Amino acid sequence: NGKQLVLSKPLKYFQEKMPASFLRIHQSYVVNINHIKKYLRKDGGNLQVGEHLLPISKSYKEEVKTVLERLM
């Protein structure tokens, strides 16, 4: 919805309370796997989630690949 939130706790805190359908892809991003439209390999890896193109960080790349392979 475009709203920005300022949080006093780390994203990991909130991620632990989310359902298993949420996946950490970057230090700044957790996504709902049900909303992933595309995986793009360019620039080290990106996910199209809705209308947004989000980067996948190197530290989360293997986990993201594993989850995406299970979904296929």
Side-chain angles (χ1 to χ4, degrees), residues 9 20 28 31 38 58 65:
K9 297 195 183 293
S28 302
V31 300
K38 283 185 192 175
K58 290 178 186 177
K65 282 183 179 181

Side-chain angles (χ1 to χ4, degrees), residues 46-63:
N46 293 281
L47 287 178
Q48 182 179 349
V49 181
E51 300 301 317
H52 303 282
L53 192 61
L54 304 175
I56 301 169
S57 69
K58 290 178 186 177
S59 58
Y60 292 100
K61 193 170 192 169
E62 289 304 315
E63 181 180 355

Side-chain angles (χ1 to χ4, degrees), residues 10-68:
L11 193 54
K12 182 179 181 179
Y13 171 84
F14 296 101
Q15 182 187 4
E16 291 170 350
K17 297 178 180 334
M18 293 177 184
S21 61
F22 285 83
L23 174 65
R24 186 81 176 255
I25 64 165
H26 188 277
Q27 180 181 354
S28 302
Y29 300 108
V30 176
V31 300
N32 184 330
I33 60 175
N34 298 312
H35 293 274
I36 296 172
K37 290 185 176 181
K38 283 185 192 175
Y39 169 74
L40 304 165
R41 286 194 238 173
K42 70 177 183 174
D43 300 326
N46 293 281
L47 287 178
Q48 182 179 349
V49 181
E51 300 301 317
H52 303 282
L53 192 61
L54 304 175
I56 301 169
S57 69
K58 290 178 186 177
S59 58
Y60 292 100
K61 193 170 192 169
E62 289 304 315
E63 181 180 355
V64 170
K65 282 183 179 181
T66 300
V67 170
L68 293 177

